Amino acid sequence: MRPSVQEMIAQSKGKKSKKIIEKIIPILLFLIASVSVLTTIGIVLTLIVETFTFFSRVSFFDFITGTTWLPFSNKEAQYGILPLIIGTLKITAIAVSVAVPIGIGAAIYLSEYASETVRRIVKPVLEILAGVPTIVYGFFALTFVTPVLQGLFPEIKIFNAISPGIVVGIMIIPMIASLSEDAMSSVPRQIRDGALAMGSTKFEVAIKVILPAALSGIVASVVLAVSRAIGETMIVSLAAGSTPRFDGDFTGSIQTMTSYIVQVSKGDAGYGTTIYYSIYAVGFTLFIFTMLMNILATYVSKRFKEEY
Amino acid sequence: MRYVDHDLVVKRMGSRKIVNFLFKGLFMLATTIALLALAILLYRIITQGAEISRGNF
C-alpha cells in the first residue's frame, strides 16, 4: 500500500539532511542575488570617493557652471563640464530624432499592419542591429556615414556630431521598435477588434486606441533608448572627435562625457593627477544623467500604465 | 432621429482610407529604412572584411 501524502511529508520532515539543504539553499540564493547589489554599491562608492577627491582640488561651482573644458592646458587647466554635456546632448538629440520616428513607425507597422509571417521575420532581423558591436558602428560612422554626409554637405568636417548621432540613432532603433511593438501587441485583442468593428481604419485604431493604451511601454522604451544614447562610448570616441565645445555647431569636432573618459583612460594622464580624478567627476555626472533617465522611465511606466 | 449621417460617413470614408493608406506607406517606409540601415552595415562589414582578408588594406 502506497503511503499517504501526510505520511510522506512526515517522513521527509524526519530527514535531517533535507532540512539542512532547505535552510542552505535560500541563504545561497540570497548571497548570489546580493552580488549584483554589492557590485553596484561598490561602483557608486568608488565614483563618490574619487569624485570628492576631484572636488577637493577643483571648485564644484566652476565644474557645473564653467563653459571651458581644458584639462590638458599648459597654463591653467579649466574644468567646466558644460561643453561635455552639450556634446553629449547634441549626439543624443540627433540620435533621438532619427530613432524615435523610425522606431515607433516600425513598431506600428509590425504591430498593426504587417502579417504574422512578416512580423515573425522582420522583428528578429531588426533586433540584429542591437547585437552589432558598437566599435563596428563607430567605424561605419567614420568610414561610410561621414563621407556620404560630406558629399552632400561639404562644410561637414571629418569629425562631427551629425554622423555619430545618426549612427547612435540607428543603433537604438531596435530598442524602441522592439519594446514599443511588445507594448502595442500586449493591448488586448478585444479593444482593437472593438474599434475596427465601429468602422475605424487601421490607422485610427493605431493612433487613437493602441498608442494611448501602450503609451507607458512606448515612453519607457524611448527613455531607455535615450539613456543608452547618453552613455554610448565607442561610436562617439571614433567619429565625433575630441574637441570640447560650448556652442550649437554640429558640423565640427565635439567631445562627449564618455569620449573624454576614454581619452584619459587610454593613458593621457598619470594616476593621482587632477585630470585622472576628473574622469570620476565626469563619470559621476554621467551616472546622474542615466539614473535620472531610468527613474523617469520607471515613473512613466507606472504613471501611464493601463490595467486590463 | 438619425444618429448617423450616412452621406457624411460615405463622403469622409474616401479621405480616411487615403490617410490610412498614406500612413501605412509611411510606417512601412520606417521599417524599410531600419532594414536598409542593417543591410548597408552588413554589406560594409562583409565587403571590407573580404578585402582585408585578401590583403588589400
Side-chain angles (χ1 to χ4, degrees), chain A residues 1-8 11:
Chain A
M1 193 180 135
R2 290 176 67 183
S4 70
V5 175
Q6 281 169 332
E7 283 168 345
M8 283 165 73
Q11 276 174 8

Side-chain angles (χ1 to χ4, degrees), chain A residues 2 39 41 50 54 75 95 97 102 147 202 207 211 215-216 219 232 235 239 273 279-280 303 306:
Chain A
R2 290 176 67 183
T39 310
I41 292 170
E50 305 289 27
F54 174 75
K75 292 173 188 169
S97 353
I102 295 176
K202 280 191 173 180
I207 298 299
L211 271 186
L215 192 66
S216 75
V219 176
E232 175 42 42
I235 301 171
T273 58
I279 63 171
Y280 288 97
R303 171 74 178 76
E306 299 274 350

Side-chain angles (χ1 to χ4, degrees), chain A residues 4-22:
Chain A
S4 70
V5 175
Q6 281 169 332
E7 283 168 345
M8 283 165 73
I9 291 169
Q11 276 174 8
S12 72
K13 272 184 179 171
K15 289 180 182 171
K16 235 184 178 179
S17 62
K18 274 197 175 176
K19 266 188 178 176
I20 294 166
I21 289 171
E22 287 288 334

